Amino acid sequence: MKSLPRRLLPSTSALAAFEAVARLGSFTAAAHELSLTQGAISRQIVALETLLGRPLFARGRRGVALTAEGAAYARRITEALSIIRTASLDVMTKRHGNTLNLAVTPTFGTRWLMPRMRGFLDRHPEITLNFVNRIGQFDFAVEGIDAAIHIGASDWPGAECMLLMHETVAPLCSPAFLGDHAIGGAADLGRLPLLHMASRPGAWEHWFDSLGLAPPPAQGMRFDQFAAVAQAAIAGIGVALLPLFLVRQELEAGQLVKAVDHPIRSRSSYYLVTPRSKPVEGSVAQFRQWLLAEIEAFLQSDDAP
């Protein structure tokens, strides 16, 4: 077999960095996801662009955006990396013969699901669980994922969405921020820094509308990750609209307090999503049965959202 020119075989680390930046739209977010520095991500991208002899991103004051060539390249590389990940995972878990590849939103997975996973693993030691963090919709076949726990609406094309639970959100801030600002009611929040989550557009508008108030202009800091917006609120940067059940520890520790005591049901809900192209059986069916029992027990507890 004739070997491929070195130019056509970029390093997997450079491709992983490129795919992360293309998907997240930010060098900083890609660095956080890959546990690298922003400088390291930038060097990988520059090296890849030098190798290909084409610019993949347009840099500007507001961040980076894919060029037309970069967008076309991203589609092919994303598919190729997914195939490599799935092939590697299949080899690594082949000896078990019974695997479940599950996509979860990072915060829900870390704060709610993981503390309960020992129960499932004790009940089903024959199943090997593989987790990946995903925010938003994706192609199950391309990603090699069996099921996903999704926050949003039940509008996933080509998939079945089973409602798990709703959530209650409230405007939260640090005690110091509350002490430094005169907040006599909901209308006062309109003049304060409001923190936004990119994955939940319109959340603040929905909250103000629930009180019959006109929402302020959509301005303020925006965050890709739940953990980042929560930490910004704790640091006293502004007010964040957060799910109460996911920040219970911070509320009990006094790191966060309600800026205004007006919790509402979020427009986003949690769903177990499975592709319609595959029957729900085997490890997926067993996980679904266990998860629904855990959700039912949680909703009947004092910690329910």
Side-chain angles (χ1 to χ4, degrees):
M1 181 182 295
K2 188 175 181 179
S3 62
L4 291 173
R6 170 68 182 87
R7 178 190 184 106
L8 300 181
L9 292 173
S11 71
T12 54
S13 57
L15 294 177
F18 167 72
E19 186 276 334
V21 175
R23 173 165 44 84
L24 299 172
S26 164
F27 278 37
T28 302
H32 177 77
E33 180 176 284
L34 298 177
S35 299
L36 297 171
T37 65
Q38 184 174 344
I41 293 292
S42 180
R43 288 191 292 274
Q44 293 282 12
I45 298 302
V46 170
L48 183 60
E49 290 177 322
T50 301
L51 184 70
L52 298 174
R54 296 287 188 278
L56 300 174
F57 293 98
R59 281 91 164 163
R61 291 184 178 180
R62 296 186 178 182
V64 296
L66 286 164
T67 62
E69 290 174 320
Y73 192 57
R75 288 191 291 271
R76 302 292 297 274
I77 292 303
T78 297
E79 182 178 353
L81 289 178
S82 295
I83 292 172
I84 292 172
R85 292 189 189 102
T86 302
S88 300
L89 199 58
D90 287 344
V91 172
M92 293 167 65
T93 59
K94 187 177 181 180
R95 59 190 176 90
H96 298 286
N98 192 5
T99 63
L100 173 60
N101 298 326
L102 182 67
V104 297
T105 55
T107 306
F108 182 86
T110 301
R111 299 198 171 201
W112 191 93
L113 184 62
M114 288 306 164
R116 294 168 168 80
M117 281 309 306
R118 174 50 56 188
F120 177 79
L121 297 174
D122 288 344
R123 183 176 300 181
H124 297 286
E126 77 284 1
I127 296 177
T128 298
L129 266 168
N130 302 307
F131 291 93
V132 294
N133 287 332
R134 289 290 184 273
I135 300 175
Q137 300 176 0
F138 55 84
D139 189 317
F140 281 92
V142 171
E143 296 283 345
I145 301 299
D146 299 308
I149 295 178
H150 169 66
I151 175 70
S154 58
D155 57 355
W156 197 308
E160 296 291 342
C161 298
M162 175 177 287
L163 177 65
L164 297 176
M165 63 181 176
H166 303 290
E167 67 176 10
T168 299
V169 298
L172 307 179
C173 63
S174 70
F177 185 93
L178 186 63
D180 291 340
H181 298 82
I183 302 177
D188 293 327
L189 293 188
R191 58 179 175 78
L192 298 177
L194 301 182
L195 309 178
H196 303 262
M197 276 190 283
S199 60
R200 302 185 184 201
W204 273 114
E205 287 81 355
H206 177 57
W207 186 83
F208 280 102
D209 184 63
S210 72
L211 290 163
L213 297 174
Q219 57 189 10
M221 299 179 69
R222 192 171 301 274
F223 299 83
D224 289 331
Q225 298 287 336
F226 175 95
V229 72
Q231 285 302 314
I234 291 172
I237 294 175
V239 183
L241 199 59
L242 298 172
L244 295 177
F245 84 105
L246 290 179
V247 291
R248 186 171 298 276
Q249 293 178 356
E250 288 82 357
L251 288 168
E252 292 176 349
Q255 293 177 295
L256 289 172
V257 296
K258 291 179 181 177
V260 174
D261 191 8
H262 180 66
I264 66 168
R265 175 181 286 188
S266 168
R267 290 190 296 186
S268 297
S269 299
Y270 292 87
Y271 296 88
L272 178 66
V273 185
T274 53
R276 290 199 187 104
S277 58
K278 295 175 62 177
V280 178
E281 58 187 12
S283 59
V284 177
Q286 291 167 323
F287 177 77
R288 182 177 68 176
Q289 181 181 21
W290 170 84
L291 179 61
L292 291 177
E294 288 293 318
I295 291 288
E296 182 178 0
F298 175 64
L299 294 178
Q300 294 175 358
S301 72
D302 294 335
D303 294 332

